[in-house]
Amino acid sequence: MAGEYVIEEMISAKAIAARVEALAREISAHFAGTDKLVVVGLLRGSFIFIADLVRELDLPVEVDFLEVSSYGMGTESSREVRILKDLRGEIEGRDVLVVEDIIDTGHTIHHVLEILRTRRPARLEVCALLDKPSRREVDVRARWTGFEIPDRFVVGYGIDYAQRNRNLDHIGAVRFLE
Ligand code: PRP
């Protein structure tokens, strides 16, 4: 059970909206001319970010979703992810943008990219709203990152703590009470 905690605002809804708009401009410029961008949201944490991001893209897009298990039990070196819900569509020869809420150790996105690469997309890029570089265990980078954040436990804008607080309109840092 989650103990008592308070949530301190770290990134306001307004700051997120401005950053999402800027990211969408860069992504639209990068993929300009494509007629086949597939935007893949990693469930569940990316559901709000992807909803806002695709509405700002000036491109024809398809939206698809992938859900993978977190590694939980594995030792650090044996961490693997398992597909819980696969994409509905084929991505071979397509331009693919993976949308992630947060890159922490990097294991999730590293494995997702490995899986998707075997399906031979034309281009495969990542946009992550949040990045905690200080926690990285595998060398992965998103081409686009919304905000670099310190090593705090964060919630909101899709991100949960014990499955709660995903519906906050901002990013908050959890402070646990004694
Ligand atoms: C979180 C988050 C990322 C991943 C990042 O997912 O959404 O997918 O962990 O961590 P990593 O870089 O250390 O691998 P979680 O397993 O909590 O699932 P959720 O998206 O359904 O909340």
Side-chain angles (χ1 to χ4, degrees), residues 42-46 67-71 79 81 100-110 135-138 140 158-160 163 166:
L42 292 195
L43 294 173
R44 287 171 270 183
S46 72
E67 184 171 11
V68 295
S69 64
S70 54
Y71 25 79
R79 282 174 175 173
V81 303
E100 178 61 302
D101 54 341
I102 183 165
I103 301 180
D104 189 342
T105 64
H107 287 283
T108 304
I109 196 67
H110 172 74
R135 294 256 311 159
R136 201 69 94 250
E137 293 172 8
V138 265
V140 282
I159 302 171
D160 72 304
Q163 296 307 327
R166 291 191 196 271

Side-chain angles (χ1 to χ4, degrees), residues 31-176:
F31 287 107
T34 187
D35 60 350
K36 48 186 180 181
L37 183 68
V38 185
V39 184
V40 172
L42 292 195
L43 294 173
R44 287 171 270 183
S46 72
F47 78 106
I48 293 179
F49 181 38
I50 191 175
D52 283 347
L53 187 69
V54 293
R55 282 181 288 181
E56 298 290 340
L57 290 177
D58 188 19
L59 294 168
V61 299
E62 282 181 27
V63 176
D64 208 337
F65 292 96
L66 183 69
E67 184 171 11
V68 295
S69 64
S70 54
Y71 25 79
M73 324 259 286
T75 61
E76 283 185 13
S77 57
S78 69
R79 282 174 175 173
E80 288 286 339
V81 303
R82 201 161 45 85
I83 295 179
L84 298 177
K85 189 212 113 33
D86 207 339
L87 300 177
R88 291 285 297 275
E90 303 291 326
I91 57 165
E92 182 167 355
R94 322 250 346 228
D95 290 330
V96 175
L97 176 69
V98 180
V99 174
E100 178 61 302
D101 54 341
I102 183 165
I103 301 180
D104 189 342
T105 64
H107 287 283
T108 304
I109 196 67
H110 172 74
H111 286 293
V112 164
L113 291 175
E114 270 189 343
I115 292 166
L116 296 183
R117 244 180 239 120
T118 65
R119 302 179 187 183
R120 296 187 299 177
R123 286 187 280 183
L124 180 62
E125 302 291 357
V126 176
C127 177
L129 181 70
L130 304 177
D131 189 3
K132 275 189 195 173
S134 63
R135 294 256 311 159
R136 201 69 94 250
E137 293 172 8
V138 265
D139 184 22
V140 282
R141 277 190 64 104
R143 179 179 280 266
W144 297 282
T145 298
F147 303 90
E148 274 194 13
I149 58 167
D151 185 16
R152 298 281 309 268
F153 201 114
V154 289
V155 291
Y157 199 70
I159 302 171
D160 72 304
Y161 172 48
Q163 296 307 327
R164 296 182 64 171
N165 303 120
R166 291 191 196 271
N167 58 325
L168 291 180
D169 67 355
H170 59 277
I171 298 288
V174 174
R175 186 161 59 80
F176 295 95

